[in-house]
Every structure is written in C-alpha cells, then in structure tokens.
Amino acid sequence: DAKTTQPTSMDCAEGRAANLPCNHSTISGNEYVYWYRQIHSQGPQYIIHGLKNNETNEMASLIITEDRKSSTLILPHATLRDTAVYYCIVSFWTGTASKLTFGTGTRLQVTL
Amino acid sequence: DTEVTQTPKHLVMGMTNKKSLKCEQHMGHRAMYWYKQKAKKPPELMFVYSYEKLSINESVPSRFSPECPNSSLLNLHLHALQPEDSALYLCASSLGLSTGNTIYFGEGSWLTVV
C-alpha cells in the first residue's frame, strides 16, 4: 500500500489558513487520498478526499498535484478547535476490500 | 447523518473475563470495520466485514472474535485478554468496499485490561 509522509507538527495562528502537506509518491491510479483528523480521545473525523481533481467542502480544500504524488489540505480560517492530529491516507485496494493505513500524522497546533 | 455508535465508551475487564464491544450504524452501510489504537499511535486495522461476511482479518489473535449479526451491527467479543490489549477500539463503516467509499468512525471504546 502507498505510504504517506507528513510533517510531525505544525503551528498556525488563529484566523489564518493552515496548509498541511502530504507526500504520497507511490500512489496508484485508482487510489484515493483521504484526510482525517483526530482530536484527543475522540474517533477520527473525516475531512475530505479526492482522486485527481482538487476538492472543496465546508471544512477544507484539498489540492492534489497533477502527478498525484503529493497533496495539501487547506483549512481556510483555522480556529482553536482545529487543533488536532491530521492524517493523510491513501486508500489501498487489497483485492477484497479497501484499507486505510494511517501514518503518524501531523499535529496541528492553532494558537491565538 | 454519519453516525457510528459504540458501546460501552469505557470498559475495564480482568484477564479471565469475557466481554463484548458493540457498534451500530443506521446509514445503510454494507461494510464495517474494527480498528485498534494504542496511546500516541495511529489506528491500526483489525477486521473488515462486507455484507456481514469477514473480508479481512489482519492476523488478529483469536482472543478477539468479531461478529456481524446483521448489516447494522458489529460486535467484538473479548476473551482472555492481556494488559497490552488495553487501547481505544474504533468501529467504522462505509457504504461499500471500494477505495472511493468514505469510511466513518465512531467515538471508540476505551478498554483497560487489568
């Protein structure tokens, strides 16, 4: 399955955009990029996913490079409640089911 | 509504006990998952069910026994666990099994084995 590489931690000022990068250079053609976040002691929360095109929803935007080897999650106006661990995951097809293999993620700290 | 409900939220059990974790979703999803998350580590896949049949078992020890009685319910039966099995157990579901189907997680069940 395709591995992802993310910075261990990032800081962002409240109200500013948070741009979280992810490298997934071994991604295959039909594998999706997913972003989840996990706030302490809670289950992972789905944020957004994409295959080739950029995507936007009410929470965030996902920018995927043309070669699909990297992506960036953008939280347009970060708030203190966005402080969490953010996981970039490539959904891998095993032949019988898809798998989400979590990496170590990026710990985003939003500060005043 | 993307709700996956897990009970209990907290469970303390002895190494000789038998207990179960329960998971329920009413989104019409046909795939359900169990993940295990140790402290300060990312979640790890344990089992995947599709249409109530086991699709993936990630070489999980037999002291963990999953059961999918119907498409809305998923249980994880626990027996003769070890203290190192203490973790957050996450249930999840998705509409289908393909890589484009979003997986939604519950809030988890915190398990402590004493």
Side-chain angles (χ1 to χ4, degrees):
Chain A
D1 30 337
K3 296 286 189 280
T4 61
T5 304
Q6 299 177 253
T8 303
S9 64
M10 294 182 65
D11 291 330
C12 179
E14 191 177 33
R16 305 298 291 267
N19 297 287
L20 290 83
C22 179
N23 180 285
H24 32 79
S25 58
T26 60
I27 194 170
S28 297
N30 59 351
E31 292 176 340
Y32 284 74
V33 178
Y34 282 82
W35 283 83
Y36 287 79
R37 71 182 183 185
Q38 190 170 27
I39 296 168
H40 182 60
S41 302
Q42 298 181 17
Q45 179 189 22
Y46 166 75
I47 301 173
I48 199 166
H49 74 285
L51 182 63
K52 297 179 184 177
N53 300 321
N54 299 337
E55 302 287 346
T56 295
N57 63 22
E58 65 278 3
M59 287 184 69
S61 295
L62 174 60
I63 309 298
I64 302 175
T65 58
E66 194 168 340
D67 63 7
R68 303 212 319 127
K69 293 185 177 181
S70 65
S71 61
T72 301
L73 177 74
I74 301 172
L75 307 178
H77 304 287
T79 71
L80 296 177
R81 284 180 290 184
D82 293 321
T83 293
V85 177
Y86 286 77
Y87 294 103
C88 167
I89 306 161
V90 172
S91 181
F92 166 71
W93 178 251
T94 68
T96 55
S98 63
K99 282 178 61 173
L100 293 181
T101 301
F102 286 76
T104 52
T106 295
R107 184 170 298 277
L108 176 68
Q109 180 70 50
V110 181
T111 56
L112 290 171
Chain B
D1 183 11
T2 56
E3 189 168 337
V4 176
T5 303
Q6 292 188 242
T7 56
K9 293 210 180 325
H10 298 274
L11 177 64
V12 178
M13 62 183 290
M15 289 189 284
T16 59
N17 291 159
K18 286 185 183 180
K19 297 287 185 182
S20 298
L21 304 180
K22 299 186 184 301
C23 176
E24 191 169 2
Q25 57 86 16
H26 295 288
M27 297 178 279
H29 289 179
R30 308 307 301 211
M32 297 188 77
Y33 310 76
W34 281 114
Y35 280 77
K36 173 181 177 178
Q37 186 173 23
K38 300 280 284 182
K40 299 189 188 302
K41 298 289 187 184
E44 295 179 341
L45 182 65
M46 299 175 72
F47 302 104
V48 179
Y49 271 83
S50 173
Y51 290 87
E52 300 149 46
K53 287 187 169 46
L54 186 64
S55 289
I56 294 178
N57 176 342
E58 292 284 85
S59 302
V60 178
S62 60
R63 58 186 184 268
F64 295 92
S65 176
E67 178 198 20
C68 191
N70 62 55
S71 59
S72 299
L73 296 174
L74 185 66
N75 299 320
L76 186 63
H77 302 299
L78 314 170
H79 174 53
L81 295 192
Q82 302 297 311
E84 58 264 30
D85 296 320
S86 298
L88 178 65
Y89 288 84
L90 295 160
C91 176
S93 71
S94 62
L95 188 62
L97 285 177
S98 72
T99 57
N101 286 136
T102 301
I103 297 174
Y104 296 97
F105 288 82
E107 290 300 316
S109 292
W110 286 95
L111 173 68
T112 303
V113 182
V114 297

